[in-house]
């Protein structure tokens, strides 16, 4: 989809459809929909859609009155949903060229960016593997407004939203097509295209480094594991900070010997969503060029049961030197992240953020609306929360008191990989904290938010691409 910005007067915009936000209580639009407002047909409720044909005084073939809700509560997140819903509504009708009008209080870079993001994200369909030619895709989306900074805001939004869709494509790939090595191939191809450095550590290289925790998970699968490293370096660094982005890349999670029930197991193809988010964020950062050094680390494995698979009770030695008793082979994400966090620290990262579809327990705690956020550093947490708020990605701070560490005690090793029945998302985070050590670190548990079970008017069912936008903003707004 081609994304453009124009300052053409509204009535002269050429498009198959022009989106015009309508607010609750609004009695009139400039397209003489007054009677529709009076009759209550157009109430301006959020996500309401009214399509007008042959509207008077506009060059566009159609006008879509898009409900925006109450003007005082309309924010960029609302604009993102509005644009997404409008795009999905219109493309179902085979409309190809869409424009949106940004006027009045909403003529600002933030609202323009949100509209473009909403449109690009709304245009995504998880249908790559469907054959046939009934696929509905837009040709162009135009943000029409006249204020300074429109073009730059639109361009930035396009880059970020396309990166999120890149992540979503990857997350949606099934386990047979996206193995750890294929994930590395995709990262390498992206890096070559975007001018990033990419290195892929194979099993031997990881064994050399002593990554016993990661390799223990990988040993049950015929698919070789790898650790993807993507490096971005600014031409002129603003300071000495080095941000490390660590993402869980389990290309399929059967649970291993502690095998999962068959029901919904097919969804475990999205267990690499954290890793794919980091690859997507790096794709955007390569283009937007923040002033801070950023390196992404994506440990990729397949978690399988087999005669070579890790057993419950096995004890492995992590790269940090700590020994781990593997009580449950299904708690594999923390095992691969442990070594990736240690490696990131050894590579000189001064700040770490990890994202992982880590626990079912975070879904119990927060449902599908909020990412669970855990940290050992309040300053980094506040920055990430601010970035997430600006991007409309909801995150909720969770506790990580020292005494949760007691849940992970075992007489047989330094730490156990599970902490019993209660507080599962917290004990998983506590396990990771052991390997982040004293480096400022935030952990994002995205098990409940990386996959949308039911499509929304503004977003297709399937992968959401969550954390890409927040992580990009965190790096772009980096202050020493
Ligand atoms: N990948 C799963 C977590 C998950 C669950 C992601 C549901 C998305 C949706 C993770 O590897 C896992 O299996 N976690 C276990 C941990 C348990 C064994 C302590 C879980 O949450 O059940
Ligand atoms: Mn698991
Ligand atoms: Zn998993």
């Amino acid at each position: 989809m081609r994304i453009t910005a124009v300052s053409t007067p509204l009535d002269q915009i050429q498009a198959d459809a022009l989106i015009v936000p309508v607010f609750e209580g609004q009695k009139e639009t400039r397209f003489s929909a007054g009677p529709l407002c009076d009759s209550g047909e157009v109430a301006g409720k959020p996500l309401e859609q009214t399509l007008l044909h042959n509207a008077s005084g506009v060059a566009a073939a159609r006008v879509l009155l898009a409900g925006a809700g109450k003007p005082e509560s309309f924010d960029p997140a609302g604009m993102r949903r509005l644009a997404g819903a409008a795009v999905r509504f219109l493309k179902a009708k085979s409309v190809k060229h869409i424009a949106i009008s940004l006027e009045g209080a909403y003529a600002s870079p933030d609202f323009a960016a949100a509209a473009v993001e909403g449109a690009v994200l709304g245009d995504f369909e998880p249908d790559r593997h469907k054959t046939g030619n009934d696929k509905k895709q837009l040709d162009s989306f135009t943000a029409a407004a006249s204020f300074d900074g429109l073009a730059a805001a639109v361009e930035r939004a396009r880059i970020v939203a396309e990166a999120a869709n890149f992540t979503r494509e990857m997350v949606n790939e099934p386990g047979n097509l996206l193995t750890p090595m294929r994930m590395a191939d995709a990262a390498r191809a992206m890096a070559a295209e975007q001018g990033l450095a990419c290195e892929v550590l194979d099993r031997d290289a990881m064994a050399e480094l002593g990554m016993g925790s990661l390799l223990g998970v990988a040993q049950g699968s015929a698919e070789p594991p790898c650790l993807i490293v993507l490096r971005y370096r600014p031409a002129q660094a603003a300071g000495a900070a080095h941000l490390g982005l660590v993402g869980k890349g389990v290309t399929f999670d059967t649970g291993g010997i502690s095998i999962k029930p068959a029901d919904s197991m097919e969804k475990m193809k999205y267990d690499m969503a954290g890793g794919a988010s980091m690859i997507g964020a790096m794709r955007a950062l390569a283009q937007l060029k923040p002033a801070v050094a950023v390196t992404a680390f994506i440990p990729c494995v397949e978690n399988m049961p087999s005669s070579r698979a890790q057993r419950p009770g096995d004890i492995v030695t992590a790269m940090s030197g700590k020994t781990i008793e593997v009580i449950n082979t299904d708690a594999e994400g923390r095992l691969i992240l442990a070594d990736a966090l240690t490696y990131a620290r050894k590579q000189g990262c001064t700040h770490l953020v990890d994202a992982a579809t880590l626990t079912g327990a975070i879904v119990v705690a927060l449902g599908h609306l909020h990412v669970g956020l855990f940290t050992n550093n309040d300053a980094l947490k506040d920055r990430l929360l601010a970035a997430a708020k600006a991007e409309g990605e909801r995150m909720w701070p969770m506790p990580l008191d020292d005494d949760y560490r007691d849940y992970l005690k075992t007489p047989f090793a330094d730490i156990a990989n599970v902490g019993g029945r209660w507080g599962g998302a917290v004990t998983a985070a506590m396990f990771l904290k052991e390997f982040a050590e004293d480096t400022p670190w935030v952990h994002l548990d995205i098990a409940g938010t990386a996959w949308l079970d039911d499509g929304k008017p503004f977003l297709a069912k399937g992968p959401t691409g969550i954390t890409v936008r927040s992580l990009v903003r965190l790096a772009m707004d980096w202050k020493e």
Side-chain angles (χ1 to χ4, degrees), residues 214-235:
L214 186 157
L215 293 175
V217 177
Q219 78 188 30
S221 174
E223 293 296 339
C226 61
L227 176 64
I228 304 169
V229 183
L230 290 165
R231 293 191 174 87
Y232 163 80
R233 295 293 177 270

Side-chain angles (χ1 to χ4, degrees), residues 248 250 253-256 260 268 271 303 328-333 357-358:
K248 173 177 174 180
V250 175
D253 183 11
T254 65
K260 288 180 180 297
M268 280 302 120
D271 213 18
N303 189 22
N328 189 316
T329 65
D330 197 10
E332 84 297 339
T357 47
L358 204 65

